[in-house]
Amino acid sequence: IFATMETTLSTDTALYHGRACSVWSISAKDAFVYEVKQGFDYFVVALADGGHVSADDETRLPRLQEQDVLWMPFEGRCRIEGATALLVEIPHGTREPTKPLMATSTVSGEVGTKMLLNNDVVNVWDFRIAAGQQCHLHQHLLDYFFVNLKPSQTQALDEANQLRGAPQFQEAMQLTYVELASPAVHAVLNVGTEELKQIIVELKPKACGLT
């Protein structure tokens, strides 16, 4: 059913591959084929308008819009075509089971600008900061990763709003995975010349084997 000129996803082509998840960057000029398997959760985050996800039985889901988060509703061979997106695969119960971290302050736990998806496995956030501006102070209580959608330069701020460490430069589509040993409270200052745009995915206890 599927056309030729397809690219099969593998761990070799992932932005990130680890015990907790694998993440791929999908280009609108390519057609990517992958297998939705039992024992895994999959979702697609659309980074621009356009493109479709279709199944081997010719089921075709609605056209993707920017910031759509599509949780895979079927199993079997699937195809993403004409989409600029992230594909995330989360294996069930393969991370070390750790208890959720407890908040150490009244600082907000909203780690992004806009919540795109909230379910029992993940929180998916859109995160944006205008050039020269900083985000609100917040705390991280869950392991998470973030993907820069364009090059950026940021400066971390501590709970007292003081500079923490040196400015960091991130390339476009650079992924950073953060595993927490304790709650992390901070803010981020955009010291670059363009808007900071990231996708943040928090992994909930179910994703590490807790139910």
Side-chain angles (χ1 to χ4, degrees):
I1 294 173
F2 292 138
T4 57
M5 301 301 293
E6 298 168 345
T7 299
T8 301
L9 297 177
S10 71
T11 56
D12 294 335
T13 59
L15 287 178
Y16 176 83
H17 176 65
R19 293 180 61 193
C21 62
S22 293
V23 184
W24 291 269
S25 173
I26 307 298
S27 170
K29 65 183 180 180
D30 298 318
F32 286 87
V33 174
Y34 64 100
E35 189 80 17
V36 174
K37 300 169 287 189
Q38 290 186 348
F40 294 82
D41 289 311
Y42 297 83
F43 62 93
V44 173
V45 183
L47 306 181
D49 293 344
H52 293 87
V53 176
S54 54
D56 208 3
D57 62 1
E58 297 186 320
T59 299
R60 190 176 190 185
L61 299 178
R63 182 176 183 268
L64 293 169
Q65 303 292 319
E66 185 178 1
Q67 297 189 344
D68 280 351
V69 180
L70 175 63
W71 199 261
M72 290 297 101
F74 37 63
E75 294 181 357
R77 194 163 177 255
C78 297
R79 186 172 194 249
I80 304 174
E81 184 173 16
T84 301
L86 299 174
L87 172 65
V88 182
E89 174 190 82
I90 301 176
H92 296 170
T94 56
R95 298 198 302 156
E96 285 295 325
T98 54
K99 293 181 179 180
L101 297 174
M102 300 300 293
T104 57
S105 72
T106 58
V107 172
S108 170
E110 295 188 356
V111 304
T113 306
K114 178 182 178 182
M115 176 80 79
L116 304 181
L117 177 70
N118 172 14
N119 64 18
D120 61 350
V121 180
V122 295
N123 291 326
V124 182
W125 298 87
D126 179 65
F127 185 48
R128 304 192 182 203
I129 309 174
Q133 301 298 309
Q134 73 177 66
C135 70
H136 63 280
L137 189 69
H138 59 273
Q139 62 179 325
H140 292 274
L141 299 174
L142 299 166
D143 291 351
Y144 66 99
F145 67 83
F146 61 90
V147 180
N148 267 69
L149 304 186
K150 58 197 316 188
S152 66
Q153 190 167 14
T154 57
Q155 171 66 60
L157 305 173
D158 63 19
E159 194 166 358
N161 216 37
Q162 300 299 305
L163 301 182
R164 188 175 71 191
Q168 299 293 313
F169 178 79
Q170 295 91 25
E171 300 282 356
M173 303 314 297
Q174 180 177 330
L175 184 149
T176 302
Y177 183 87
V178 181
E179 187 170 352
L180 298 175
S182 61
V185 179
H186 69 170
V188 178
L189 172 65
N190 181 358
V191 294
T193 58
E194 296 187 17
E195 182 184 38
L196 170 72
K197 297 178 66 175
Q198 293 178 344
I199 295 294
I200 301 173
V201 177
E202 298 180 289
L203 300 170
K204 294 187 177 180
K206 182 176 179 180
C208 58
L210 297 178
T211 56

